Amino acid sequence: METPTFFNGTYDETMALLIEARNYIAYHDAASHRALPPHVRLQISYESMRVTSRLTQVMAWLLAQKAVHAGEMTREQAASDDFALSGGDICTDPSGPDNEQLPEGLRSLLERSHRLYMRVARLDERARDAVAMAG
């Protein structure tokens, strides 16, 4: 079964953001953070984890959908709670990009990961609704 084009684009976008986030978190100049107050450093750590949580949740959901398209899993299995997009309030909270104390690169990752997460949350809801209506 061929994977829909929108899915491939979303998968590619997620993978690119994961790589960008990994590089940002791993290689961002920690020395520049030393001059920041402790509460700002803590906020940077917290928001970095929010980006990571969003992106890993989205990637896990996309991989389950990819398994459906490959015939390795049923739509019903993918719509189960085991494969549902999760993350709740942490991932849906849009705050962060407006916090001018955070580095611009992190603010950008926060904004883009939130948009992606919310888009995939809508896809998850539609997929679950389709399974519920069929069943």
Side-chain angles (χ1 to χ4, degrees):
M1 180 182 289
E2 187 173 322
T3 306
T5 303
F6 80 87
F7 176 84
N8 289 332
T10 303
Y11 182 87
D12 292 345
E13 178 184 359
T14 303
M15 185 59 74
L17 271 173
L18 272 167
I19 292 168
E20 183 181 343
R22 180 209 57 201
N23 289 342
Y24 179 86
I25 292 166
Y27 303 115
H28 193 275
D29 185 10
S32 66
H33 292 170
R34 287 188 197 130
L36 298 173
H39 74 279
V40 174
R41 291 193 312 256
L42 180 62
Q43 190 69 29
I44 289 170
S45 295
Y46 176 80
E47 297 297 357
S48 296
M49 291 303 297
R50 184 193 311 268
V51 168
T52 302
S53 295
R54 285 176 181 155
L55 295 175
T56 54
Q57 287 296 319
V58 167
M59 184 55 77
W61 187 87
L62 289 169
L63 289 173
Q65 300 308 308
K66 194 171 190 174
V68 169
H69 292 290
E72 299 168 356
M73 179 185 291
T74 66
R75 288 176 46 200
E76 292 75 21
Q77 288 172 314
S80 72
D81 288 342
D82 291 339
F83 297 99
L85 188 67
S86 60
D89 294 340
I90 298 295
C91 292
T92 58
D93 183 346
S95 64
D98 56 342
N99 183 345
E100 293 184 9
Q101 291 183 314
L102 297 176
E104 182 60 37
L106 179 56
R107 291 170 50 198
S108 174
L109 284 167
L110 282 162
E111 182 179 352
R112 291 179 290 144
S113 67
H114 181 260
R115 281 196 321 256
L116 175 65
Y117 183 90
M118 298 308 292
R119 189 169 72 235
V120 171
R122 288 187 297 273
L123 291 173
D124 181 45
E125 184 178 346
R126 288 178 59 192
R128 291 165 159 275
D129 289 348
V131 167
M133 290 181 75

